[in-house]
Amino acid sequence: MTAPYPFTALVGMADLRLALLLNAVSPAVGGVLVRGEKGTAKSTAVRALAALLPGIDVVAGCRFSCDPAAPDPGCPDGPHEPGAGAVRPARMVELPVGASEDRLVGALDIERALADGVKAFEPGLLADAHRGVLYVDEVNLLHDHLIDLLLDAAAMGASYVEREGVSVRHAARFLLVGTMNPEEGELRPQLLDRFGLTVEVAASRDTDERVEVVRRRLAYDEDPAGFAARWADQEGALRERVAAARALLPRVRLGDGALRQIAAVCAAFEVDGMRADIVTARTATALAAWAGRTEVTTEDVRQAALLSLPHRRRRAPFDAPGLDEDKLDEVLRDAGGGDDDPDPGPGPEGRDGQDGQEGPDGPDGPGGGRPPQGAPGAPGAPEQAPPAGPDAPDQRVPEQRPGSDGSPGTDAPQGSGDPRGAAPADGGAAGGAGGERGAVGAAEPFRARRLDVPGLGEGAAGRRSRARTAHGRTTGARRPQGVLTKLHLAATVRAAAPHQRDRGRRGPGLVVRRDDLREAVREGREGNLVLFVVDASGSMAARKRMSAVKGAVLSLLLDAYQRRDKVGMITFRGAEAAVALPPTSSVDAGAARLERLPTGGRTPLAAGLLKAREVLRIERLRDPSRRPLLVVVTDGRATGGVDPVGRAGRAARLLADDKVASVVVDCESGPVRLGLAGALAQDLRGTPVTLDELRADSVTALVRDARATSTPRIVRKTRRAA
């Protein structure tokens, strides 16, 4: 077995190492979520933590890691008599993103359970992780049904396996550690709240530090055992320090002043619920123990808040996690913090952030008292994007893109007599200017109505279109296709009943063979690939109009995030179409690209549709079960080149022949409407909707008005009948 990379050999990432070590000191902190770009050694750091965890006492032979001092009375391997047990290292169990439900919670032998009444149970990963660490790499890509199971286990401290009235329960208390790349999508809020701490990591921009990272990694790859041996002394010292901090932890005092500071900070940042207060208190206590102190200081509270609150504060959609440190300091001062805190002294780790450990190549201990990497104001943190919204200052300078003749692009007709090439009907301000305009802020997003794909799919579980899924209402039964997970009891009994005499049944019970088993066919909702094709040409460039369009697309992006969709974005203007956002699960990335989108130039509608067809073709090869939904946001005009209208119509009909479900969002405004978006929807065989019809509340208002007008008629008829 290859020796793991030593924890003390990690270069930089002081805040990540500190967060992991605090969880080793106090598992009650609740785990850590590591957010960062790819290639930043997130997984390496988490796996290196396992060697620092103290061993645990377990009941010998118990598959569920029961504590011999207090065994679980409901353990499937029990009952256990209290007494001496065996000591084994704490486990770090990895949950693969593509794991099955049975692999996570365990599998029950349905055939033996029905025929013999025996609970033949094979434990899953939750049982293996009990009293240890459950590590999920790329946790944001985990399927929803696995997230539901994780949430249940984390909330109840136990895992339940239910199979048609036969159930198994076992304890499942674990430290949840996950890594993710935010570019690939965000986590559900419920799961996000289950992580005690969060840390942002990014690759160092310091040349010397990057050189040292490469040097150590190459040395480890060449001789893992030899490299680990060179760091054995530092690993042992850090392991002893973790054990000492654990022993000190029960004696650490969290005074009323520090507790009031924690409550004030959580209230000031409007976090949901009370878990944030509890986690912050536990983290501050662990920080004091790690520093060798028995009193929690203001600096401990400050550092704990920076680690435990960024992912819990209430924020607008698509805002990145973060904490305003100036506001944090102000709240701590107002809550009674200041210079009256106990002096941390020259303990193992003081306010200078150094822990005193020296490795072969310099300090290797995690820093303290510093903002987490990636937090606003932290060294090396990414530059904050300008505020979004319709009132945000426009500080961006658009890229100048000339037209095909070398002059600035325009949206003027190119010799086409078709109304699609006519001048804008909304005053001409958008298309008449001709040149490219800077990006404008999006209007306030709203709750969008659901747009779904017709028919019944079989894609990834989500919340948009109807599909056959592992969860949902039962609509029928069939023979098992692979491992049986959802038994249809009535269908199984019906299949076995005619054969009981031939199988020699003489008493109670049902003789069941594997061929009799039937699994339930269930219908739920799936997530789709929502591909936006956005018209950014001159005809859309009127400031208020484009702001409303961006607000509508932003609302649809937020709706896609809530419905577990993948999203992509294509824009067309000038002489070409471009993929602004390849299909991804990161709706945040789509919102950022939309906010920076400039407008102006001609309207190459055909190019946008053909680009969409190419993107969908490639995605169909990558993920054939995920059905696409094409959302074209345009006023329907087409200009530029020869026969722009005919080419746009032919491109639309190609998409229709590919059976692509589509919606055309009609952005035309003004007193005169040409209805060009409706004609495009006909070519696509899709559904035309206006910007106003995208609002869910507009549909609700229509229903309410219809009820209001119909009720008096019913009352009048009732009175006449009486």
Coordinates of all heavy atoms in Angstrom, one line a residue, residues 533-614:
V533 N -30.0 30.6 -25.8 CA -29.5 31.2 -27.0 C -30.0 32.7 -26.9 O -31.2 33.0 -27.1 CB -30.0 30.5 -28.3 CG1 -29.4 31.2 -29.5 CG2 -29.6 29.1 -28.3
V534 N -29.1 33.6 -26.6 CA -29.4 35.0 -26.3 C -29.0 35.9 -27.4 O -27.9 35.9 -27.8 CB -28.8 35.4 -24.9 CG1 -29.2 36.8 -24.6 CG2 -29.2 34.4 -23.8
D535 N -30.0 36.7 -27.9 CA -29.7 37.7 -28.9 C -29.1 38.9 -28.2 O -29.7 39.6 -27.4 CB -31.1 38.0 -29.5 CG -30.9 39.0 -30.7 OD1 -29.8 39.6 -30.9 OD2 -31.9 39.3 -31.4
A536 N -27.8 39.2 -28.6 CA -27.1 40.3 -28.0 C -26.8 41.4 -29.1 O -25.9 42.2 -29.0 CB -25.8 39.9 -27.3
S537 N -27.6 41.4 -30.1 CA -27.4 42.3 -31.3 C -27.9 43.7 -31.0 O -28.4 44.0 -29.9 CB -28.1 41.7 -32.5 OG -29.5 41.8 -32.3
G538 N -27.7 44.6 -32.0 CA -28.1 46.0 -31.8 C -29.6 46.2 -31.6 O -30.0 47.1 -30.9
S539 N -30.4 45.3 -32.1 CA -31.8 45.4 -31.9 C -32.3 45.2 -30.5 O -33.4 45.5 -30.1 CB -32.6 44.5 -32.8 OG -32.4 43.1 -32.5
M540 N -31.4 44.6 -29.7 CA -31.7 44.4 -28.3 C -31.0 45.3 -27.3 O -31.0 45.2 -26.1 CB -31.2 42.9 -27.9 CG -31.8 41.9 -28.8 SD -33.5 41.5 -28.3 CE -33.3 40.7 -26.8
A541 N -30.3 46.3 -27.9 CA -29.3 47.1 -27.1 C -29.9 48.3 -26.3 O -29.2 48.9 -25.6 CB -28.2 47.6 -28.0
A542 N -31.2 48.6 -26.5 CA -31.8 49.6 -25.7 C -31.6 49.3 -24.2 O -31.9 48.1 -23.8 CB -33.3 49.8 -26.0
R543 N -31.1 50.2 -23.4 CA -30.6 49.9 -22.1 C -31.7 49.2 -21.2 O -31.5 48.2 -20.6 CB -30.1 51.2 -21.4 CG -29.4 50.9 -20.1 CD -28.8 52.2 -19.5 NE -28.0 51.8 -18.4 CZ -26.7 51.5 -18.4 NH1 -26.1 51.3 -19.6 NH2 -26.0 51.2 -17.3
K544 N -32.9 49.8 -21.1 CA -33.9 49.3 -20.3 C -34.4 47.9 -20.8 O -34.7 47.0 -20.1 CB -35.1 50.2 -20.2 CG -34.8 51.5 -19.4 CD -36.1 52.4 -19.3 CE -35.8 53.6 -18.5 NZ -37.0 54.5 -18.4
R545 N -34.4 47.8 -22.1 CA -34.9 46.5 -22.7 C -33.9 45.4 -22.4 O -34.3 44.3 -22.0 CB -35.0 46.7 -24.2 CG -35.6 45.6 -25.0 CD -35.8 45.9 -26.4 NE -36.3 44.8 -27.2 CZ -36.3 44.8 -28.5 NH1 -35.8 45.9 -29.2 NH2 -36.8 43.8 -29.2
M546 N -32.6 45.7 -22.6 CA -31.6 44.6 -22.4 C -31.5 44.3 -20.9 O -31.3 43.1 -20.5 CB -30.2 45.1 -22.9 CG -29.3 43.9 -23.0 SD -29.8 42.6 -24.2 CE -28.8 41.2 -23.8
S547 N -31.7 45.3 -20.0 CA -31.8 45.0 -18.6 C -32.9 44.1 -18.2 O -32.7 43.1 -17.4 CB -31.9 46.3 -17.8 OG -32.0 46.1 -16.4
A548 N -34.1 44.3 -18.9 CA -35.2 43.4 -18.6 C -34.9 42.0 -19.1 O -35.3 41.0 -18.5 CB -36.5 44.0 -19.2
V549 N -34.3 41.9 -20.3 CA -34.0 40.6 -20.9 C -33.0 39.9 -20.0 O -33.2 38.7 -19.7 CB -33.4 40.8 -22.3 CG1 -32.8 39.5 -22.8 CG2 -34.5 41.3 -23.3
K550 N -32.0 40.5 -19.5 CA -31.0 39.9 -18.6 C -31.7 39.5 -17.3 O -31.4 38.4 -16.8 CB -29.8 40.8 -18.3 CG -28.9 41.0 -19.5 CD -27.6 41.8 -19.0 CE -26.6 41.8 -20.1 NZ -25.3 42.5 -19.7
G551 N -32.6 40.3 -16.8 CA -33.3 39.9 -15.6 C -34.1 38.6 -15.8 O -34.2 37.8 -14.9
A552 N -34.7 38.5 -17.0 CA -35.5 37.3 -17.3 C -34.6 36.1 -17.4 O -35.0 35.0 -16.9 CB -36.3 37.5 -18.6
V553 N -33.5 36.2 -18.1 CA -32.6 35.1 -18.2 C -32.0 34.7 -16.9 O -31.8 33.5 -16.5 CB -31.4 35.4 -19.2 CG1 -30.5 34.2 -19.3 CG2 -32.0 35.7 -20.6
L554 N -31.7 35.7 -16.0 CA -31.2 35.5 -14.7 C -32.2 34.7 -13.9 O -31.9 33.8 -13.1 CB -30.8 36.8 -14.0 CG -30.0 36.7 -12.7 CD1 -28.6 36.1 -13.0 CD2 -29.9 38.1 -12.1
S555 N -33.5 35.1 -14.1 CA -34.6 34.4 -13.3 C -34.7 32.9 -13.8 O -34.9 32.0 -13.0 CB -35.9 35.1 -13.6 OG -35.8 36.4 -13.2
L556 N -34.5 32.7 -15.1 CA -34.5 31.3 -15.6 C -33.3 30.5 -15.1 O -33.4 29.3 -14.9 CB -34.6 31.3 -17.1 CG -35.9 31.8 -17.7 CD1 -35.8 32.0 -19.2 CD2 -37.0 30.9 -17.4
L557 N -32.2 31.2 -15.0 CA -31.0 30.5 -14.5 C -31.2 30.1 -13.0 O -30.8 29.0 -12.6 CB -29.8 31.5 -14.6 CG -29.1 31.6 -15.9 CD1 -28.1 32.7 -15.9 CD2 -28.4 30.3 -16.3
L558 N -31.8 31.0 -12.2 CA -32.1 30.7 -10.8 C -33.1 29.5 -10.8 O -32.9 28.6 -10.0 CB -32.7 31.9 -10.1 CG -33.1 31.7 -8.7 CD1 -31.9 31.3 -7.8 CD2 -33.7 33.0 -8.1
D559 N -34.0 29.5 -11.7 CA -35.0 28.4 -11.7 C -34.3 27.1 -12.1 O -34.6 26.0 -11.5 CB -36.1 28.7 -12.7 CG -37.1 27.6 -12.8 OD1 -37.9 27.5 -11.9 OD2 -37.2 27.0 -13.9
A560 N -33.3 27.2 -13.0 CA -32.6 26.0 -13.4 C -31.7 25.5 -12.3 O -31.6 24.2 -12.1 CB -31.7 26.3 -14.6
Y561 N -31.2 26.3 -11.4 CA -30.4 25.9 -10.3 C -31.3 25.2 -9.3 O -30.9 24.1 -8.8 CB -29.8 27.1 -9.6 CG -29.3 26.9 -8.2 CD1 -28.1 26.1 -8.0 CD2 -29.9 27.4 -7.1 CE1 -27.6 25.8 -6.7 CE2 -29.4 27.1 -5.8 CZ -28.3 26.4 -5.6 OH -27.8 26.1 -4.4
Q562 N -32.5 25.7 -9.1 CA -33.4 25.1 -8.1 C -33.9 23.7 -8.6 O -34.3 22.9 -7.8 CB -34.6 26.0 -7.8 CG -34.1 27.3 -7.1 CD -35.2 28.3 -7.0 OE1 -36.1 28.3 -7.7 NE2 -35.0 29.3 -6.1
R563 N -34.0 23.6 -9.9 CA -34.5 22.3 -10.5 C -33.4 21.3 -10.9 O -33.7 20.3 -11.6 CB -35.4 22.7 -11.7 CG -36.6 23.5 -11.4 CD -37.6 23.7 -12.5 NE -38.6 24.7 -12.2 CZ -39.6 24.4 -11.4 NH1 -39.8 23.2 -10.9 NH2 -40.5 25.4 -11.1
R564 N -32.2 21.6 -10.5 CA -31.1 20.7 -10.7 C -30.7 20.4 -12.2 O -30.5 19.3 -12.6 CB -31.3 19.3 -10.0 CG -31.8 19.4 -8.6 CD -30.7 19.9 -7.7 NE -31.1 20.0 -6.3 CZ -31.5 21.2 -5.7 NH1 -31.4 22.3 -6.4 NH2 -31.9 21.2 -4.5
D565 N -30.8 21.5 -13.0 CA -30.5 21.4 -14.4 C -29.0 21.7 -14.6 O -28.3 22.4 -13.9 CB -31.3 22.4 -15.2 CG -32.8 22.1 -15.1 OD1 -33.1 20.9 -15.2 OD2 -33.6 23.0 -15.0
K566 N -28.5 21.2 -15.8 CA -27.3 21.7 -16.4 C -27.7 22.9 -17.2 O -28.8 22.9 -17.8 CB -26.6 20.7 -17.2 CG -26.0 19.6 -16.4 CD -25.2 18.6 -17.3 CE -24.0 19.2 -18.0 NZ -23.3 18.1 -18.7
V567 N -26.8 23.9 -17.4 CA -27.1 25.1 -18.2 C -26.0 25.3 -19.1 O -24.8 25.0 -18.9 CB -27.4 26.3 -17.3 CG1 -28.6 26.1 -16.5 CG2 -26.2 26.7 -16.5
G568 N -26.3 26.0 -20.3 CA -25.3 26.4 -21.2 C -25.8 27.7 -21.8 O -27.0 28.0 -21.7
M569 N -24.9 28.5 -22.4 CA -25.4 29.8 -23.0 C -24.6 30.1 -24.3 O -23.4 29.9 -24.3 CB -25.2 30.9 -22.0 CG -25.7 32.3 -22.5 SD -25.4 33.6 -21.3 CE -26.2 33.0 -19.9
I570 N -25.4 30.4 -25.3 CA -24.8 30.9 -26.6 C -25.3 32.3 -26.8 O -26.5 32.6 -26.6 CB -25.3 29.9 -27.7 CG1 -24.7 28.5 -27.5 CG2 -24.9 30.5 -29.1 CD1 -25.2 27.5 -28.4
T571 N -24.5 33.1 -27.3 CA -24.9 34.5 -27.6 C -24.5 34.7 -29.1 O -23.6 34.2 -29.6 CB -24.1 35.5 -26.8 OG1 -22.7 35.4 -27.0 CG2 -24.4 35.3 -25.3
F572 N -25.3 35.6 -29.7 CA -25.0 35.9 -31.1 C -25.2 37.4 -31.4 O -26.2 38.0 -30.9 CB -25.9 35.1 -32.1 CG -27.4 35.2 -31.9 CD1 -28.1 36.2 -32.7 CD2 -28.1 34.4 -31.0 CE1 -29.5 36.3 -32.5 CE2 -29.5 34.6 -30.9 CZ -30.2 35.5 -31.6
R573 N -24.3 38.0 -32.0 CA -24.3 39.4 -32.4 C -23.2 39.6 -33.4 O -22.3 38.8 -33.6 CB -24.1 40.3 -31.2 CG -22.7 40.1 -30.5 CD -22.7 40.8 -29.1 NE -21.4 40.5 -28.4 CZ -20.3 41.2 -28.6 NH1 -20.3 42.3 -29.4 NH2 -19.2 40.9 -27.9
G574 N -23.2 40.7 -34.1 CA -22.2 41.1 -35.1 C -22.2 40.1 -36.2 O -23.2 40.0 -36.9
A575 N -21.1 39.3 -36.4 CA -21.1 38.4 -37.6 C -21.0 37.0 -37.1 O -20.9 36.1 -38.0 CB -19.8 38.7 -38.4
E576 N -21.2 36.6 -35.8 CA -21.0 35.3 -35.4 C -21.8 35.0 -34.2 O -22.3 35.9 -33.5 CB -19.5 35.0 -35.2 CG -18.9 35.9 -34.1 CD -17.4 35.6 -33.9 OE1 -16.8 35.0 -34.7 OE2 -16.9 36.1 -32.8
A577 N -21.8 33.7 -33.8 CA -22.3 33.2 -32.5 C -21.2 32.6 -31.8 O -20.3 32.0 -32.3 CB -23.4 32.2 -32.8
A578 N -21.3 32.7 -30.4 CA -20.2 32.1 -29.6 C -20.8 31.4 -28.4 O -21.9 31.8 -27.9 CB -19.3 33.3 -29.1
V579 N -20.1 30.4 -27.9 CA -20.5 29.7 -26.7 C -20.0 30.5 -25.5 O -18.8 30.4 -25.2 CB -20.0 28.2 -26.7 CG1 -20.4 27.5 -25.5 CG2 -20.4 27.5 -28.0
A580 N -20.9 31.2 -24.9 CA -20.5 32.0 -23.8 C -20.3 31.2 -22.5 O -19.5 31.5 -21.7 CB -21.5 33.1 -23.5
L581 N -21.0 30.0 -22.5 CA -20.9 29.1 -21.3 C -21.1 27.7 -21.8 O -22.3 27.4 -22.2 CB -21.9 29.5 -20.2 CG -21.9 28.6 -19.0 CD1 -20.6 28.8 -18.2 CD2 -23.1 28.8 -18.1
P582 N -20.1 26.8 -21.8 CA -20.4 25.4 -22.2 C -21.3 24.8 -21.2 O -21.3 25.2 -20.0 CB -19.0 24.8 -22.2 CG -18.0 26.0 -22.2 CD -18.7 27.1 -21.6
P583 N -22.0 23.8 -21.5 CA -23.0 23.1 -20.6 C -22.3 22.7 -19.3 O -21.2 22.1 -19.3 CB -23.5 21.9 -21.4 CG -23.4 22.4 -22.8 CD -22.2 23.2 -22.9
T584 N -22.8 23.2 -18.2 CA -22.2 22.9 -16.9 C -23.3 22.9 -15.8 O -24.4 23.3 -16.1 CB -21.2 24.1 -16.6 OG1 -20.7 23.9 -15.3 CG2 -21.9 25.4 -16.6
S585 N -22.9 22.4 -14.7 CA -23.8 22.5 -13.5 C -23.7 23.8 -12.7 O -24.4 24.0 -11.8 CB -23.6 21.3 -12.6 OG -23.8 20.1 -13.3
S586 N -22.7 24.6 -13.1 CA -22.5 25.8 -12.4 C -23.4 27.0 -12.9 O -23.0 27.6 -13.9 CB -21.0 26.2 -12.5 OG -20.8 27.5 -11.8
V587 N -24.5 27.1 -12.3 CA -25.4 28.2 -12.7 C -24.8 29.6 -12.4 O -25.0 30.6 -13.1 CB -26.8 28.0 -12.1 CG1 -27.7 29.1 -12.5 CG2 -27.4 26.7 -12.5
D588 N -24.0 29.6 -11.3 CA -23.3 30.9 -11.0 C -22.4 31.4 -12.1 O -22.4 32.6 -12.4 CB -22.4 30.6 -9.8 CG -23.2 30.5 -8.5 OD1 -24.4 30.7 -8.6 OD2 -22.6 30.0 -7.5
A589 N -21.7 30.5 -12.8 CA -20.9 30.9 -14.0 C -21.8 31.5 -15.1 O -21.4 32.5 -15.7 CB -20.1 29.7 -14.5
G590 N -23.0 30.9 -15.3 CA -23.9 31.5 -16.3 C -24.3 32.9 -15.9 O -24.4 33.8 -16.8
A591 N -24.6 33.1 -14.6 CA -25.0 34.5 -14.2 C -23.9 35.5 -14.4 O -24.1 36.6 -14.8 CB -25.4 34.4 -12.7
A592 N -22.6 35.0 -14.1 CA -21.5 35.9 -14.2 C -21.3 36.3 -15.7 O -21.0 37.5 -16.1 CB -20.2 35.3 -13.6
R593 N -21.4 35.3 -16.6 CA -21.2 35.6 -18.0 C -22.3 36.5 -18.5 O -22.0 37.4 -19.4 CB -21.2 34.3 -18.8 CG -20.1 33.3 -18.4 CD -18.7 33.7 -18.8 NE -17.7 32.7 -18.2 CZ -17.4 31.6 -18.8 NH1 -17.9 31.3 -20.0 NH2 -16.4 30.8 -18.3
L594 N -23.5 36.3 -18.1 CA -24.6 37.1 -18.5 C -24.4 38.6 -18.1 O -24.7 39.5 -18.9 CB -25.9 36.5 -17.9 CG -27.2 37.3 -18.3 CD1 -27.6 37.1 -19.7 CD2 -28.3 36.9 -17.4
E595 N -23.9 38.8 -16.9 CA -23.8 40.1 -16.4 C -22.8 40.9 -17.2 O -22.9 42.1 -17.4 CB -23.3 40.0 -14.9 CG -23.4 41.4 -14.2 CD -24.8 41.9 -14.0 OE1 -25.7 41.1 -14.0 OE2 -25.0 43.1 -13.9
R596 N -21.8 40.2 -17.7 CA -20.7 40.9 -18.5 C -21.0 41.0 -20.0 O -20.2 41.5 -20.8 CB -19.4 40.2 -18.3 CG -18.9 40.2 -16.9 CD -17.4 39.7 -16.8 NE -17.3 38.4 -17.3 CZ -17.3 37.3 -16.5 NH1 -17.5 37.5 -15.2 NH2 -17.1 36.1 -17.0
L597 N -22.2 40.5 -20.4 CA -22.5 40.4 -21.8 C -22.7 41.8 -22.5 O -23.7 42.5 -22.1 CB -23.8 39.5 -22.0 CG -24.2 39.4 -23.4 CD1 -23.2 38.6 -24.3 CD2 -25.6 38.6 -23.5
P598 N -21.9 42.2 -23.4 CA -22.1 43.4 -24.2 C -23.1 43.2 -25.3 O -23.4 42.1 -25.7 CB -20.7 43.8 -24.7 CG -20.0 42.5 -24.9 CD -20.6 41.6 -23.8
T599 N -23.6 44.3 -25.9 CA -24.5 44.2 -27.0 C -24.1 45.1 -28.2 O -23.3 45.9 -28.0 CB -26.0 44.6 -26.5 OG1 -25.9 46.0 -26.1 CG2 -26.5 43.7 -25.4
G600 N -24.7 44.8 -29.3 CA -24.5 45.7 -30.5 C -24.2 44.9 -31.7 O -23.8 43.7 -31.6
G601 N -24.3 45.5 -32.9 CA -24.0 44.8 -34.1 C -25.2 44.2 -34.8 O -26.4 44.3 -34.4
R602 N -24.9 43.4 -35.8 CA -26.0 42.7 -36.6 C -26.6 41.6 -35.8 O -26.2 41.3 -34.7 CB -25.4 42.2 -37.9 CG -24.9 43.3 -38.8 CD -24.4 42.7 -40.1 NE -24.0 43.8 -41.1 CZ -22.7 44.3 -41.1 NH1 -21.8 43.8 -40.2 NH2 -22.4 45.2 -41.9
T603 N -27.6 40.9 -36.4 CA -28.3 39.8 -35.8 C -28.2 38.5 -36.5 O -29.0 38.2 -37.3 CB -29.8 40.2 -35.7 OG1 -30.0 41.5 -35.2 CG2 -30.6 39.3 -34.8
P604 N -27.1 37.8 -36.3 CA -26.9 36.5 -37.0 C -27.7 35.4 -36.3 O -27.1 34.5 -35.7 CB -25.4 36.3 -36.9 CG -25.0 36.9 -35.6 CD -26.0 38.1 -35.4
L605 N -29.0 35.4 -36.5 CA -29.9 34.5 -35.8 C -29.6 33.0 -36.2 O -29.6 32.1 -35.4 CB -31.4 34.8 -36.1 CG -32.4 33.9 -35.5 CD1 -32.3 33.8 -34.0 CD2 -33.8 34.4 -35.9
A606 N -29.4 32.8 -37.5 CA -29.1 31.5 -38.0 C -27.8 30.9 -37.4 O -27.8 29.7 -37.0 CB -29.0 31.5 -39.5
A607 N -26.8 31.8 -37.2 CA -25.5 31.3 -36.6 C -25.8 30.9 -35.2 O -25.2 29.9 -34.7 CB -24.5 32.4 -36.7
G608 N -26.6 31.6 -34.5 CA -26.9 31.2 -33.1 C -27.6 29.9 -33.0 O -27.3 29.0 -32.1
L609 N -28.6 29.6 -33.9 CA -29.3 28.4 -33.9 C -28.4 27.2 -34.3 O -28.5 26.1 -33.7 CB -30.5 28.5 -34.8 CG -31.6 29.5 -34.4 CD1 -32.7 29.6 -35.4 CD2 -32.1 29.2 -33.0
L610 N -27.6 27.4 -35.3 CA -26.7 26.3 -35.7 C -25.6 26.0 -34.7 O -25.3 24.8 -34.5 CB -26.0 26.7 -37.0 CG -26.9 26.8 -38.3 CD1 -26.2 27.3 -39.5 CD2 -27.5 25.4 -38.6
K611 N -25.2 27.0 -34.0 CA -24.2 26.8 -32.9 C -24.9 26.0 -31.8 O -24.3 25.1 -31.2 CB -23.7 28.1 -32.3 CG -22.7 28.0 -31.2 CD -21.4 27.3 -31.6 CE -20.6 28.3 -32.4 NZ -19.2 27.8 -32.7
A612 N -26.2 26.3 -31.5 CA -26.9 25.5 -30.5 C -27.1 24.1 -30.9 O -26.9 23.2 -30.1 CB -28.3 26.2 -30.3
R613 N -27.3 23.9 -32.2 CA -27.5 22.5 -32.7 C -26.2 21.7 -32.5 O -26.2 20.5 -32.1 CB -27.9 22.5 -34.1 CG -28.2 21.1 -34.7 CD -28.9 21.2 -36.1 NE -29.3 19.9 -36.6 CZ -28.7 19.3 -37.6 NH1 -27.7 19.9 -38.2 NH2 -29.1 18.1 -38.0
E614 N -25.0 22.3 -32.7 CA -23.8 21.7 -32.6 C -23.5 21.3 -31.1 O -23.0 20.2 -30.8 CB -22.7 22.5 -33.2 CG -21.2 22.0 -33.0 CD -21.0 20.7 -33.8 OE1 -21.8 20.4 -34.7 OE2 -20.0 20.0 -33.5

